[in-house]
Protein backbone atom coordinates (compact mmCIF):
# COMPACT_ATOMS: atom_id res chain seq x y z
CA UNK A 1 0.00 0.00 0.00
CA UNK A 2 1.23 3.45 -0.84
CA UNK A 3 0.05 6.75 0.55
CA UNK A 4 0.71 10.29 -0.49
CA UNK A 5 1.11 13.58 1.33
CA UNK A 6 -0.78 16.56 -0.07
CA UNK A 7 0.36 17.69 -3.51
CA UNK A 8 3.78 16.10 -3.42
CA UNK A 9 2.31 13.01 -5.04
CA UNK A 10 4.38 13.05 -8.17
CA UNK A 11 7.68 13.28 -6.32
CA UNK A 12 7.31 11.38 -3.11
CA UNK A 13 5.90 8.03 -2.21
CA UNK A 14 5.21 7.35 1.42
CA UNK A 15 5.28 3.65 2.12
CA UNK A 16 6.52 1.04 4.56
CA UNK A 17 4.21 2.04 7.34
CA UNK A 18 5.34 0.03 10.35
CA UNK A 19 2.10 -1.80 10.95
CA UNK A 20 1.84 -2.84 7.31
CA UNK A 21 5.05 -4.77 6.99
CA UNK A 22 5.32 -5.86 10.61
CA UNK A 23 5.01 -9.64 10.36
CA UNK A 24 3.49 -9.99 13.84
CA UNK A 25 0.64 -7.57 13.33
CA UNK A 26 -1.71 -9.39 15.59
CA UNK A 27 -1.66 -8.43 19.25
CA UNK A 28 0.88 -10.06 21.49
CA UNK A 29 -0.22 -13.21 23.27
CA UNK A 30 -0.07 -11.65 26.73
CA UNK A 31 -2.94 -9.21 27.44
CA UNK A 32 -1.09 -7.88 30.51
CA UNK A 33 1.52 -6.04 28.49
CA UNK A 34 1.40 -3.37 25.80
CA UNK A 35 4.10 -3.65 23.21
CA UNK A 36 5.58 -0.50 21.68
CA UNK A 37 4.49 -1.92 18.33
CA UNK A 38 0.87 -1.67 19.44
CA UNK A 39 0.93 2.11 19.85
CA UNK A 40 1.92 2.84 16.24
CA UNK A 41 -0.76 3.62 13.68
CA UNK A 42 -0.39 4.25 10.00
CA UNK A 43 -1.10 7.82 9.01
CA UNK A 44 -4.48 8.19 7.32
CA UNK A 45 -4.73 11.98 7.20
CA UNK A 46 -4.77 12.73 10.93
CA UNK A 47 -3.81 16.15 12.19
CA UNK A 48 -1.68 16.74 15.29
CA UNK A 49 -0.83 17.46 17.97
CA UNK A 50 0.92 14.17 18.45
CA UNK A 51 4.11 12.30 17.72
CA UNK A 52 4.92 11.33 14.15
CA UNK A 53 7.46 8.81 12.84
CA UNK A 54 8.98 8.98 9.37
CA UNK A 55 11.83 7.10 7.73
CA UNK A 56 14.25 8.54 5.19
CA UNK A 57 16.15 5.65 3.58
CA UNK A 58 18.68 7.92 1.89
CA UNK A 59 22.47 7.44 1.87
CA UNK A 60 23.61 9.03 -1.37
CA UNK A 61 25.64 11.63 0.53
CA UNK A 62 27.41 9.28 2.95
CA UNK A 63 31.15 9.79 3.45
CA UNK A 64 31.81 6.49 5.21
CA UNK A 65 30.65 2.97 4.33
CA UNK A 66 27.44 2.92 2.30
CA UNK A 67 24.33 1.20 3.62
CA UNK A 68 22.59 3.69 5.91
CA UNK A 69 19.56 3.64 3.64
CA UNK A 70 18.72 0.33 5.32
CA UNK A 71 18.46 2.14 8.68
CA UNK A 72 14.72 2.89 8.91
CA UNK A 73 13.67 -0.69 8.25
CA UNK A 74 16.09 -2.13 10.82
CA UNK A 75 15.11 0.38 13.50
CA UNK A 76 11.44 -0.38 12.87
CA UNK A 77 12.21 -4.11 13.11
CA UNK A 78 13.87 -3.53 16.48
CA UNK A 79 10.88 -1.76 18.04
CA UNK A 80 9.45 -5.20 18.67
CA UNK A 81 11.70 -5.67 21.70
CA UNK A 82 10.19 -2.80 23.69
CA UNK A 83 7.08 -2.26 25.82
CA UNK A 84 5.03 0.91 26.29
CA UNK A 85 5.96 1.15 29.95
CA UNK A 86 8.66 3.33 31.53
CA UNK A 87 9.74 1.48 34.64
CA UNK A 88 11.83 4.37 35.98
CA UNK A 89 8.75 6.57 36.27
CA UNK A 90 6.17 3.81 36.69
CA UNK A 91 4.57 5.37 33.61
CA UNK A 92 2.40 3.29 31.28
CA UNK A 93 1.65 4.92 27.94
CA UNK A 94 -0.02 2.03 26.15
CA UNK A 95 -3.13 4.10 25.45
CA UNK A 96 -1.16 6.71 23.48
CA UNK A 97 -0.70 6.70 19.71
CA UNK A 98 2.30 7.44 17.50
CA UNK A 99 1.41 8.22 13.90
CA UNK A 100 3.64 6.42 11.40
CA UNK A 101 4.07 8.37 8.16
CA UNK A 102 6.05 5.50 6.66
CA UNK A 103 9.27 5.88 4.71
CA UNK A 104 9.86 8.59 2.16
CA UNK A 105 10.88 6.97 -1.09
CA UNK A 106 12.71 9.75 -2.89
CA UNK A 107 12.91 9.95 -6.63
CA UNK A 108 15.57 12.60 -7.04
CA UNK A 109 18.43 13.12 -9.46
CA UNK A 110 20.71 14.89 -7.03
CA UNK A 111 21.41 15.30 -3.34
CA UNK A 112 20.13 18.89 -3.53
CA UNK A 113 16.86 17.78 -5.10
CA UNK A 114 16.47 14.98 -2.54
CA UNK A 115 17.09 17.45 0.29
CA UNK A 116 14.47 19.84 -1.09
CA UNK A 117 11.93 17.01 -1.04
CA UNK A 118 12.90 16.05 2.52
CA UNK A 119 12.40 19.65 3.64
CA UNK A 120 8.94 19.74 2.07
CA UNK A 121 7.84 16.53 3.74
CA UNK A 122 9.17 17.52 7.18
CA UNK A 123 7.53 20.95 6.81
CA UNK A 124 4.19 19.27 6.05
CA UNK A 125 4.38 16.87 8.98
CA UNK A 126 5.49 19.60 11.41
CA UNK A 127 2.86 22.01 10.09
CA UNK A 128 0.23 19.44 11.00
CA UNK A 129 1.35 19.79 14.60
CA UNK A 130 3.40 16.62 14.99
CA UNK A 131 6.60 16.31 16.96
CA UNK A 132 8.64 14.16 14.64
CA UNK A 133 11.09 11.29 14.93
CA UNK A 134 13.07 10.86 11.74
CA UNK A 135 14.92 7.63 10.98
CA UNK A 136 17.90 8.00 8.61
CA UNK A 137 19.63 7.63 6.40
CA UNK A 138 22.95 9.44 6.33
CA UNK A 139 23.63 12.54 8.40
CA UNK A 140 23.27 14.93 5.46
CA UNK A 141 19.48 14.80 6.03
CA UNK A 142 19.68 16.85 9.24
CA UNK A 143 20.09 20.00 7.12
CA UNK A 144 16.84 19.62 5.12
CA UNK A 145 15.05 18.41 8.26
CA UNK A 146 15.98 21.57 10.20
CA UNK A 147 15.14 23.66 7.13
CA UNK A 148 11.68 22.07 6.97
CA UNK A 149 11.13 22.52 10.70
CA UNK A 150 12.26 26.13 10.54
CA UNK A 151 9.86 26.84 7.66
CA UNK A 152 6.99 25.17 9.49
CA UNK A 153 7.65 27.08 12.70
CA UNK A 154 8.86 30.46 11.46
CA UNK A 155 9.61 32.89 13.07
CA UNK A 156 10.21 30.70 16.10
CA UNK A 157 13.85 29.92 16.90
CA UNK A 158 15.30 26.45 17.30
CA UNK A 159 18.04 25.25 19.66
CA UNK A 160 19.99 22.27 18.30
CA UNK A 161 22.01 19.41 19.80
CA UNK A 162 24.16 17.11 17.70
CA UNK A 163 25.20 13.93 19.52
CA UNK A 164 28.05 12.70 17.36
CA UNK A 165 31.68 11.57 17.24
CA UNK A 166 32.25 14.15 14.51
CA UNK A 167 31.49 17.86 14.20
CA UNK A 168 29.95 17.48 10.72
CA UNK A 169 30.68 21.08 9.82
CA UNK A 170 32.77 20.34 6.74
CA UNK A 171 32.97 22.88 3.99
CA UNK A 172 30.96 22.04 0.87
CA UNK A 173 33.88 21.55 -1.50
CA UNK A 174 33.22 21.66 -5.24
CA UNK A 175 29.51 21.53 -4.56
CA UNK A 176 29.76 18.16 -2.84
CA UNK A 177 27.18 17.96 -0.08
CA UNK A 178 27.98 15.05 2.23
CA UNK A 179 27.08 13.46 5.54
CA UNK A 180 29.89 15.63 6.95
CA UNK A 181 28.37 19.00 6.01
CA UNK A 182 24.89 19.34 7.61
CA UNK A 183 25.65 21.58 10.60
CA UNK A 184 27.79 24.03 8.65
CA UNK A 185 24.89 24.48 6.23
CA UNK A 186 22.47 24.93 9.14
CA UNK A 187 24.68 27.57 10.78
CA UNK A 188 25.72 29.36 7.57
CA UNK A 189 22.09 29.63 6.50
CA UNK A 190 21.14 30.96 9.96
CA UNK A 191 18.55 28.22 10.51
CA UNK A 192 20.01 27.94 14.01
CA UNK A 193 22.23 30.48 15.78
CA UNK A 194 25.69 29.24 16.82
CA UNK A 195 24.85 30.30 20.37
CA UNK A 196 22.06 27.74 20.38
CA UNK A 197 24.12 24.91 18.91
CA UNK A 198 25.74 22.19 21.05
CA UNK A 199 27.76 19.15 19.97
CA UNK A 200 28.16 16.27 22.43
CA UNK A 201 30.39 13.19 22.22
CA UNK A 202 33.10 14.61 19.95
CA UNK A 203 36.16 12.32 19.78
CA UNK A 204 39.87 12.76 19.77
CA UNK A 205 41.74 12.16 16.48
CA UNK A 206 38.60 12.24 14.33
CA UNK A 207 38.11 15.92 13.57
CA UNK A 208 40.00 18.74 11.86
CA UNK A 209 41.28 21.77 13.76
CA UNK A 210 39.77 24.05 11.09
CA UNK A 211 36.32 22.70 11.88
CA UNK A 212 36.78 23.02 15.62
CA UNK A 213 37.68 26.66 15.08
CA UNK A 214 34.65 27.09 12.84
CA UNK A 215 32.25 25.95 15.57
CA UNK A 216 34.09 28.01 18.19
CA UNK A 217 33.96 31.11 15.96
CA UNK A 218 30.21 30.61 15.61
CA UNK A 219 29.96 30.49 19.42
CA UNK A 220 28.82 26.89 19.34
CA UNK A 221 29.43 24.73 22.41
CA UNK A 222 31.39 21.48 22.10
CA UNK A 223 31.57 18.70 24.68
CA UNK A 224 34.13 16.05 23.87
CA UNK A 225 33.98 12.57 25.32
CA UNK A 226 36.74 13.68 27.72
CA UNK A 227 34.70 16.73 28.81
CA UNK A 228 31.88 14.40 29.81
CA UNK A 229 34.27 12.29 31.90
CA UNK A 230 35.75 15.34 33.59
CA UNK A 231 32.63 17.44 34.13
CA UNK A 232 30.08 14.68 34.51
CA UNK A 233 27.02 14.13 32.35
CA UNK A 234 24.61 16.07 34.59
CA UNK A 235 26.69 19.23 34.30
CA UNK A 236 27.03 18.79 30.53
CA UNK A 237 23.25 18.40 30.19
CA UNK A 238 22.62 21.46 32.35
CA UNK A 239 24.95 23.65 30.29
CA UNK A 240 23.49 22.22 27.08
CA UNK A 241 19.95 23.13 28.13
CA UNK A 242 21.04 26.68 29.00
CA UNK A 243 22.47 27.11 25.50
CA UNK A 244 19.71 25.55 23.43
CA UNK A 245 16.93 27.36 25.28
CA UNK A 246 18.60 30.79 25.39
CA UNK A 247 16.26 33.00 23.34
CA UNK A 248 14.72 30.04 21.51
CA UNK A 249 11.21 28.56 21.44
CA UNK A 250 11.89 25.01 20.29
CA UNK A 251 14.62 22.38 20.52
CA UNK A 252 15.81 19.49 18.36
CA UNK A 253 18.23 16.58 18.79
CA UNK A 254 20.23 14.83 16.10
CA UNK A 255 21.64 11.44 17.13
CA UNK A 256 24.44 10.05 15.00
CA UNK A 257 24.78 6.39 15.98
CA UNK A 258 28.57 6.70 15.79
CA UNK A 259 28.39 8.84 18.93
CA UNK A 260 28.10 5.51 20.72
CA UNK A 261 31.23 3.60 21.54
CA UNK A 262 32.05 1.17 18.75
CA UNK A 263 31.27 -1.71 21.10
CA UNK A 264 27.60 -0.65 21.17
CA UNK A 265 27.52 0.45 17.56
CA UNK A 266 29.41 -1.71 15.10
CA UNK A 267 26.79 -0.94 12.46
CA UNK A 268 27.54 2.64 11.49
CA UNK A 269 28.98 4.38 8.44
CA UNK A 270 32.08 5.62 10.29
CA UNK A 271 32.97 3.37 13.25
CA UNK A 272 34.61 5.26 16.10
CA UNK A 273 36.06 3.96 19.39
CA UNK A 274 36.06 5.57 22.85
CA UNK A 275 32.51 6.86 22.76
CA UNK A 276 29.29 7.33 24.69
CA UNK A 277 27.28 4.58 26.36
CA UNK A 278 23.63 3.95 25.45
CA UNK A 279 22.61 5.10 28.93
CA UNK A 280 24.31 8.48 28.51
CA UNK A 281 22.41 9.14 25.29
CA UNK A 282 19.13 7.99 26.88
CA UNK A 283 19.71 10.42 29.75
CA UNK A 284 20.37 13.29 27.35
CA UNK A 285 17.20 12.56 25.34
CA UNK A 286 15.14 12.18 28.52
CA UNK A 287 16.36 15.44 30.04
CA UNK A 288 15.92 17.49 26.88
CA UNK A 289 12.42 16.05 26.27
CA UNK A 290 11.34 16.76 29.84
CA UNK A 291 12.93 20.16 30.35
CA UNK A 292 12.70 21.86 26.94
CA UNK A 293 10.19 22.20 24.11
CA UNK A 294 11.61 19.32 22.08
CA UNK A 295 9.91 19.13 18.67
CA UNK A 296 11.90 16.42 16.99
CA UNK A 297 14.83 14.05 16.80
CA UNK A 298 16.63 12.24 14.05
CA UNK A 299 18.52 8.97 14.41
CA UNK A 300 21.05 8.67 11.61
CA UNK A 301 24.01 6.70 10.26
CA UNK A 302 22.84 3.26 11.33
CA UNK A 303 24.36 0.95 8.73
CA UNK A 304 22.79 -2.52 9.03
CA UNK A 305 25.32 -4.04 6.62
CA UNK A 306 27.96 -3.87 9.36
CA UNK A 307 25.75 -4.47 12.39
CA UNK A 308 26.29 -7.44 14.70
CA UNK A 309 23.22 -9.17 16.12
CA UNK A 310 21.25 -5.95 15.45
CA UNK A 311 23.11 -4.33 18.36
CA UNK A 312 23.23 -0.86 16.79
CA UNK A 313 19.65 -1.07 15.49
CA UNK A 314 18.25 -2.08 18.89
CA UNK A 315 20.12 0.79 20.56
CA UNK A 316 18.62 3.13 17.95
CA UNK A 317 15.13 1.80 18.69
CA UNK A 318 15.76 2.29 22.40
CA UNK A 319 16.51 5.99 21.74
CA UNK A 320 13.28 6.26 19.77
CA UNK A 321 11.32 4.69 22.64
CA UNK A 322 12.96 7.10 25.12
CA UNK A 323 11.89 10.09 23.01
CA UNK A 324 8.31 8.82 22.83
CA UNK A 325 8.05 7.93 26.51
CA UNK A 326 9.59 11.20 27.75
CA UNK A 327 7.47 13.29 25.39
CA UNK A 328 4.24 11.64 26.52
CA UNK A 329 5.34 11.84 30.16
CA UNK A 330 5.99 15.57 29.88
CA UNK A 331 2.59 16.16 28.25
CA UNK A 332 0.89 14.34 31.13
CA UNK A 333 2.87 16.04 33.87
CA UNK A 334 3.55 19.60 32.81
CA UNK A 335 0.09 20.95 33.59
MN1 LIG B 1 27.50 12.66 11.92
Amino acid sequence: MERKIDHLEDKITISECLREWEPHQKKGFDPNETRMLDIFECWTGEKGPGIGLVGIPFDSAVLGRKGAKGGPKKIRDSIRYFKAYDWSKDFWFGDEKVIDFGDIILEADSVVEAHDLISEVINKIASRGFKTIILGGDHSISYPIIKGLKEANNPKKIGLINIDAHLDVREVIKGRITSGTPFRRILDNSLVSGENFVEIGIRNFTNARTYRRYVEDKNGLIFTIEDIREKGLASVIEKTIQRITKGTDLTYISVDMDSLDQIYAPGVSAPTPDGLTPNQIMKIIQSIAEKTNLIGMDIVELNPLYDTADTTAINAANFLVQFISSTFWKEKNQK
Side-chain angles (χ1 to χ4, degrees):
M1 181 184 158
E2 292 178 348
R3 277 155 300 109
K4 316 273 188 180
I5 289 192
D6 297 353
H7 42 266
L8 292 169
E9 287 86 350
D10 50 335
K11 292 174 185 163
I12 294 170
T13 306
I14 305 284
S15 65
E16 293 284 334
C17 173
L18 184 140
R19 292 298 289 275
E20 283 166 11
W21 54 261
E22 160 57 33
H24 306 290
Q25 280 189 37
K26 53 182 185 293
K27 293 273 179 192
F29 74 96
D30 185 346
N32 294 309
E33 68 174 21
T34 317
R35 306 175 307 167
M36 276 304 294
L37 279 176
D38 297 330
I39 74 168
F40 287 87
E41 271 183 9
C42 290
W43 178 68
T44 52
E46 291 91 340
K47 286 217 161 63
I51 300 177
L53 173 72
V54 65
I56 305 181
F58 174 84
D59 67 1
S60 301
V62 83
L63 270 182
R65 315 178 293 195
K66 276 222 177 202
K69 69 180 174 191
K73 183 172 189 323
K74 270 298 180 185
I75 299 174
R76 288 162 184 276
D77 273 335
S78 304
I79 293 171
R80 76 186 63 221
Y81 298 109
F82 298 95
K83 315 297 174 203
Y85 175 62
D86 183 339
W87 181 290
S88 68
K89 294 189 177 324
D90 195 13
F91 173 52
W92 179 78
F93 51 100
D95 53 352
E96 300 286 355
K97 289 290 164 223
V98 175
I99 302 299
D100 186 2
F101 287 86
D103 286 355
I104 304 174
I105 310 303
L106 294 165
E107 283 167 38
D109 295 327
S110 69
V111 173
V112 172
E113 196 185 322
H115 281 186
D116 285 346
L117 296 173
I118 292 168
S119 289
E120 281 189 72
V121 171
I122 297 300
N123 184 344
K124 297 229 181 266
I125 294 173
S127 297
R128 286 167 192 272
F130 289 96
K131 298 182 173 187
T132 315
I133 305 165
I134 301 105
L135 310 177
D138 72 52
H139 215 161
S140 75
I141 65 171
S142 292
Y143 169 70
I145 290 169
I146 294 292
K147 188 160 172 272
L149 288 175
K150 181 73 181 159
E151 285 162 0
N153 291 289
N154 220 20
K156 289 183 176 169
K157 292 180 75 181
I158 302 172
L160 172 63
I161 303 172
N162 177 37
I163 306 175
D164 200 330
H166 315 92
L167 296 168
D168 285 3
V169 293
R170 284 174 194 270
E171 223 178 312
V172 176
I173 295 169
K174 292 181 182 166
R176 193 174 165 211
I177 293 161
T178 68
S179 56
T181 61
F183 299 102
R184 191 185 195 95
R185 303 180 74 213
I186 287 168
L187 296 175
D188 283 355
N189 289 291
S190 302
L191 300 178
V192 170
S193 157
E195 278 207 326
N196 303 128
F197 177 54
V198 182
E199 304 213 70
I200 303 176
I202 300 302
R203 306 289 220 284
N204 221 357
F205 308 123
T206 42
N207 291 278
R209 178 156 71 175
T210 310
Y211 296 140
R212 172 184 182 173
R213 297 281 186 267
Y214 169 84
V215 176
E216 289 170 349
D217 287 347
K218 290 276 182 187
N219 288 322
L221 188 58
I222 301 169
F223 291 111
T224 63
I225 203 79
E226 203 59 32
D227 289 333
I228 296 167
R229 286 189 195 111
E230 283 172 14
K231 295 168 185 164
L233 187 65
S235 150
V236 166
I237 290 174
E238 195 190 317
K239 291 192 176 80
T240 297
I241 290 176
Q242 282 170 8
R243 278 301 198 97
I244 61 168
T245 57
K246 193 178 166 193
T248 69
D249 311 282
L250 313 165
T251 62
Y252 182 88
I253 305 175
S254 179
V255 183
D256 188 320
M257 292 305 291
D258 69 29
S259 60
L260 280 173
D261 193 282
Q262 195 179 16
I263 197 167
Y264 306 109
V268 293
S269 313
T272 318
D274 192 24
L276 295 167
T277 65
N279 182 261
Q280 287 175 316
I281 295 178
M282 303 283 277
K283 284 278 193 298
I284 297 169
I285 295 169
Q286 182 189 348
S287 300
I288 304 306
E290 287 177 12
K291 295 174 184 169
T292 77
N293 192 8
L294 183 62
I295 55 161
M297 178 171 87
D298 62 56
I299 303 171
V300 295
E301 298 286 344
L302 163 65
N303 184 336
L305 300 179
Y306 295 88
D307 210 0
T308 309
D310 293 338
T311 304
T312 320
I314 296 169
N315 273 315
N318 206 16
F319 300 155
L320 173 153
V321 173
Q322 182 70 64
F323 177 99
I324 292 169
S325 169
S326 295
T327 300
F328 284 140
W329 187 85
K330 187 190 178 197
E331 276 170 19
K332 290 251 156 112
N333 290 278
Q334 70 184 357
K335 284 162 193 165

